[in-house]
Amino acid sequence: MLVPGPVRIIGTGLIGGSLGLALSAAGVDVVVQDVSPGTQALAVEMGVGRAPRPGDPDPALVLVAAPPDVAAQLAVEALARWPRAIVADVASVKTTVLAGIVAARRAGDLDEDALARYVGTHPMAGREVAGVIASRGDLFQGRPFVVVPHGSTRPEARSILRALAVELGSVPVEMDAATHDAAVALVSHVPQIMSSLLAATLVDGPEQALGLAGQGLRDTTRIAASDPRLWVEILGANAAAIGPVLRDVRERLEAVLQALSSLEGDPDPGVGSRRALAGLIADGNRGVQRIPGKHGGAGDAFTTIVVLVPDRPGHLARLLTEIGQIGVNLEDLHLEHTLGKKVGLAHVSIERAHESLLTQALRERGWTVAES
Amino acid sequence: MLVPGPVRIIGTGLIGGSLGLALSAAGVDVVVQDVSPGTQALAVEMGVGRAPRPGDPDPALVLVAAPPDVAAQLAVEALARWPRAIVADVASVKTTVLAGIVAARRAGDLDEDALARYVGTHPMAGREVAGVIASRGDLFQGRPFVVVPHGSTRPEARSILRALAVELGSVPVEMDAATHDAAVALVSHVPQIMSSLLAATLVDGPEQALGLAGQGLRDTTRIAASDPRLWVEILGANAAAIGPVLRDVRERLEAVLQALSSLEGDPDPGVGSRRALAGLIADGNRGVQRIPGKHGGAGDAFTTIVVLVPDRPGHLARLLTEIGQIGVNLEDLHLEHTLGKKVGLAHVSIERAHESLLTQALRERGWTVAES
């Protein structure tokens, strides 16, 4: 057991619930509380943790997993109530929560020791569905868990939160609040805004046009299905970090609009306009190449081979059995099902080093493998 | 055989090559030509079709699958050279090609009969990889195939192209050139620009920030990896249809920037700013809901169950074998591999009607199925 108990979880939504499931499964004594008695009871029933009892020992660790707008206040209350507990929140924007806690210290509501017991965190996981009912003990596996200490956070608090990350199967990463907020503005909040802006163009589009939608549109708009209430809080709290990135986007968009309008009706207005469009697409190429592969490496240790599979029960199973027999481990698998045809395409991700071995062995066994 | 032969394919890139593979497989006499002798020879070797021979009969159908900037010119040449052939191009923007052909008619280079033998098409499929080597006979299966007649297109030309669509396993859709171009601006060209704009913000981002990237960023930027040369042509040719959609995006972006800057440093500037952000996310929700499911229906006939699978050869195969034994057909499958853990999550798509049957049967067999 790396994480000391008891752990008190305040707020049992998706994140609090999933934290509790993982910690309870690891044998930690988890006590849950939620502002809604019904939610708290459901969390207890699901095995997230137990309800508080009179005479409970003080928690060693408090995890505030409430909505971001009340996170600072609940953390301040917890720091004051349990004078030896390490207190962490999980809100996805860190500077505003820290500012709230520092303000309480300045107002004399907390002493210096209490401030030193606070550390921010951001377990970077989520699902399209919300609430304790969607909780999963494996929600954080393989995801970054950002530990966000401030200038006077105790070393012990940082260690305990890193231990929590490891216990969850997450990858612990440490950065200060401003660095964290700028990072999530770039990789999460601006993407959310761009996806929503794009999806919003579809509201009044003709049905016939929507019928031509392909995978590209589906991928670029998937996160636009996110919860408005939650996102208003997140975007509002991180406005200062989102603004500069989004203003760069606006500037670029202006240049694209100008290039398009000079090309409109005049297919050859000089090279400048074409260069602006080519520059946009080329910079997009460079940007997307900078995203690390999901294994955290440069993204080129793995490759995908495409195998034709008859779309009947049993054939995909046979393919996977034979891949196992050949001795190659599957990293990822995606089945592409084609409408109205009794055939599917299995996209099989493997280590690049095994590509030619597997391709050849599958062909010898009669499978159709696409040319790479 | 629904499509009359011989079919002449001009330009053997990904699209021309895939058309040829599909038609040759269906027994049509396909003759291929490409401006590059090496590409043409490779296409012949791959079975896309045969090389032209002296004394060949005139083609019944000519498919111009050359880059968009030369499509009109090649179509005009084909209409003039083969006075009984139906001639179609496959460029992804239709008004500019049609304008080129109408201009040739006005200049007297084509007669009225030749104009009537032209019909535009847009087989809506593609891959991230280009060239004849990436061709696949099944590229168009289940995808929309847009037939784009103009005012004086012969009924026979429309029928033959619809027959071609059916032969390819595509879903034929008919619309005029302006409607088509507005539709693809909305569902394809603006999404490409938004994805590239977003990915371009990553070019100068700190490495530590990119390390926090999740699936949302990967999905929203995937198409930003597209080929700049091709896209400059497409965006340039469809500037008139893209402009209005993109100007709406700019207006919305302005409102978001204004809301963010009034929230910056002031967490409670009145409800207006929050309402602007909530409105954006809510409209995004509405937009994404309008995209039809990949089976062309409302997207709710299918559902996904999530099963925990030990990440060792054989286990996924066993799961699929048992799903087959239970008698449920897999619609789609995606394996989620979690970093450093010997466990994966299989996302199994099935008909919604089979959800509870399959969930229960798998649990009885000892599988862990996530709560839906």
Side-chain angles (χ1 to χ4, degrees):
Chain A
M1 197 83 54
L2 299 161
V3 179
V7 172
R8 170 77 70 130
I9 295 179
I10 300 175
T12 54
L14 171 67
I15 300 296
S18 297
L19 288 168
L21 285 175
L23 289 172
S24 293
V28 178
D29 179 22
V30 175
V31 179
V32 294
Q33 72 178 72
D34 196 280
V35 67
S36 150
T39 301
Q40 180 178 314
L42 182 57
V44 170
E45 195 185 335
M46 285 180 62
V48 172
R50 62 175 178 85
R53 286 191 294 255
D56 263 342
D58 277 7
L61 172 64
V62 179
L63 299 172
V64 175
D69 53 335
V70 295
Q73 186 202 327
L74 290 170
V76 167
E77 287 170 14
L79 289 163
R81 177 172 173 193
W82 294 297
R84 278 197 304 271
I86 303 300
V87 175
D89 75 300
V90 304
S92 49
V93 178
K94 304 306 330 167
T95 48
T96 45
V97 179
L98 179 60
I101 291 164
V102 168
R105 165 72 191 118
R106 292 212 176 115
D109 296 341
L110 294 176
D111 59 19
E112 195 57 33
D113 171 75
L115 185 61
R117 288 183 286 113
Y118 167 74
V119 59
T121 73
H122 184 194
M124 297 197 64
R127 301 185 67 186
E128 296 79 16
V129 281
V132 69
I133 196 75
S135 300
R136 285 168 20 182
D138 62 358
L139 188 67
F140 309 104
Q141 280 181 13
R143 310 290 171 124
F145 185 107
V146 192
V147 177
V148 186
H150 56 89
S152 53
T153 294
R154 268 193 214 166
E156 176 205 357
R158 293 160 60 165
S159 320
I160 288 179
L161 272 297
R162 291 180 71 97
L164 172 66
V166 171
E167 187 70 61
L168 297 170
S170 296
V171 181
V173 180
E174 202 169 299
M175 46 182 92
D176 65 38
T179 305
H180 169 273
D181 288 359
V184 292
L186 191 68
V187 303
S188 170
H189 305 171
V190 170
Q192 177 64 50
I193 291 172
M194 295 297 281
S195 185
S196 294
L197 282 170
L198 175 58
T201 67
L202 305 176
V203 170
D204 298 319
E207 190 135 0
Q208 205 183 13
L210 273 294
L212 301 184
Q215 198 55 42
L217 184 66
R218 291 190 175 84
D219 285 351
T220 45
T221 58
R222 185 181 59 82
I223 58 173
S226 301
D227 180 16
R229 269 184 321 171
L230 176 66
W231 275 96
V232 169
E233 291 306 322
I234 294 174
L235 300 178
N238 207 22
I242 297 169
V245 184
L246 215 48
R247 283 192 286 273
D248 283 353
V249 170
R250 175 178 58 185
E251 196 177 316
R252 192 85 194 226
L253 177 59
E254 283 298 345
V256 170
L257 275 165
Q258 208 166 347
L260 287 173
S261 89
S262 72
L263 283 159
E264 204 171 313
D266 175 7
D268 201 9
V271 295
S273 301
R274 276 165 198 277
R275 195 177 290 155
L277 297 180
L280 167 71
I281 308 285
D283 281 352
N285 286 181
R286 289 168 59 209
V288 78
Q289 276 160 14
R290 293 201 63 212
I291 303 174
K294 74 172 177 171
H295 289 265
D300 60 358
F302 298 91
T303 188
T304 298
I305 68 167
V306 179
V307 186
L308 203 79
V309 183
D311 184 22
R312 288 187 297 275
H315 280 80
L316 187 60
R318 186 164 70 82
L319 171 66
L320 299 177
T321 303
E322 296 192 8
I323 291 173
Q325 287 166 352
I326 295 163
V328 171
N329 197 28
L330 207 62
E331 291 299 327
D332 199 352
L333 174 71
H334 176 70
L335 181 68
E336 190 185 330
H337 184 87
T338 48
L339 182 81
K341 290 279 157 179
K342 285 292 166 207
V343 80
L345 297 172
H347 296 250
V348 176
S349 297
I350 51 164
E351 281 189 45
R352 187 173 292 280
H354 296 149
E355 182 179 6
S356 58
L357 162 76
L358 183 63
T359 300
Q360 199 185 331
L362 286 176
R363 285 191 177 140
E364 281 167 8
R365 287 159 180 257
W367 294 97
T368 303
V369 182
E371 295 295 333
S372 64
Chain B
M1 199 82 54
L2 298 162
V3 179
V7 172
R8 170 75 70 129
I9 295 179
I10 300 175
T12 53
L14 171 66
I15 301 295
S18 298
L19 288 169
L21 285 175
L23 289 172
S24 294
V28 178
D29 179 23
V30 175
V31 179
V32 293
Q33 71 178 72
D34 196 280
V35 67
S36 149
T39 301
Q40 181 178 313
L42 181 58
V44 170
E45 194 185 335
M46 286 180 63
V48 172
R50 62 175 178 84
R53 285 191 295 253
D56 262 342
D58 278 7
L61 172 63
V62 178
L63 299 172
V64 175
D69 53 334
V70 294
Q73 187 201 326
L74 290 171
V76 166
E77 286 170 14
L79 288 163
R81 177 172 172 194
W82 294 298
R84 278 197 304 270
I86 302 300
V87 175
D89 76 300
V90 304
S92 50
V93 177
K94 305 306 331 167
T95 48
T96 45
V97 179
L98 179 59
I101 291 164
V102 168
R105 165 71 191 119
R106 290 212 179 115
D109 298 340
L110 295 176
D111 59 20
E112 196 56 35
D113 171 75
L115 185 61
R117 287 183 286 114
Y118 167 74
V119 59
T121 72
H122 184 195
M124 296 197 64
R127 300 184 68 186
E128 296 80 16
V129 281
V132 68
I133 197 77
S135 300
R136 285 169 19 184
D138 63 357
L139 188 68
F140 308 104
Q141 280 181 14
R143 310 288 170 125
F145 185 107
V146 192
V147 177
V148 186
H150 57 88
S152 53
T153 295
R154 268 192 213 167
E156 176 205 357
R158 295 159 61 164
S159 318
I160 288 179
L161 272 297
R162 292 180 72 98
L164 172 65
V166 170
E167 187 71 59
L168 297 170
S170 296
V171 181
V173 179
E174 202 169 300
M175 46 183 90
D176 65 39
T179 306
H180 169 274
D181 288 359
V184 292
L186 190 68
V187 304
S188 170
H189 304 171
V190 170
Q192 177 64 50
I193 291 172
M194 295 297 280
S195 185
S196 294
L197 282 169
L198 176 58
T201 67
L202 306 175
V203 169
D204 298 317
E207 191 136 359
Q208 205 182 14
L210 291 179
L212 301 184
Q215 198 56 43
L217 184 65
R218 292 190 174 84
D219 285 351
T220 45
T221 58
R222 186 181 58 82
I223 58 172
S226 301
D227 180 17
R229 268 187 319 175
L230 177 66
W231 274 96
V232 170
E233 292 305 323
I234 293 174
L235 299 178
N238 207 23
I242 296 168
V245 183
L246 215 49
R247 282 192 287 272
D248 282 354
V249 170
R250 174 177 58 185
E251 196 176 317
R252 192 86 193 225
L253 177 60
E254 282 298 345
V256 170
L257 275 165
Q258 208 167 346
L260 287 172
S261 90
S262 72
L263 283 159
E264 205 171 312
D266 175 7
D268 202 8
V271 295
S273 301
R274 277 164 197 277
R275 196 176 289 155
L277 297 179
L280 167 71
I281 308 285
D283 281 353
N285 286 181
R286 291 167 58 209
V288 78
Q289 277 161 12
R290 294 200 63 211
I291 303 174
K294 76 170 178 173
H295 289 265
D300 61 357
F302 298 91
T303 189
T304 298
I305 69 167
V306 179
V307 186
L308 204 78
V309 183
D311 184 22
R312 288 187 297 274
H315 280 79
L316 188 59
R318 185 164 70 81
L319 171 65
L320 298 177
T321 303
E322 296 192 9
I323 291 174
Q325 286 166 352
I326 294 163
V328 171
N329 198 30
L330 208 62
E331 291 298 327
D332 199 352
L333 174 70
H334 176 71
L335 182 68
E336 190 185 332
H337 185 87
T338 49
L339 182 82
K341 289 280 156 179
K342 286 294 167 206
V343 80
L345 297 173
H347 296 251
V348 176
S349 297
I350 51 164
E351 280 188 45
R352 187 173 292 279
H354 297 148
E355 181 178 8
S356 57
L357 162 76
L358 183 62
T359 300
Q360 199 185 331
L362 286 175
R363 285 190 176 141
E364 280 167 9
R365 287 158 180 258
W367 295 95
T368 303
V369 182
E371 294 294 332
S372 63

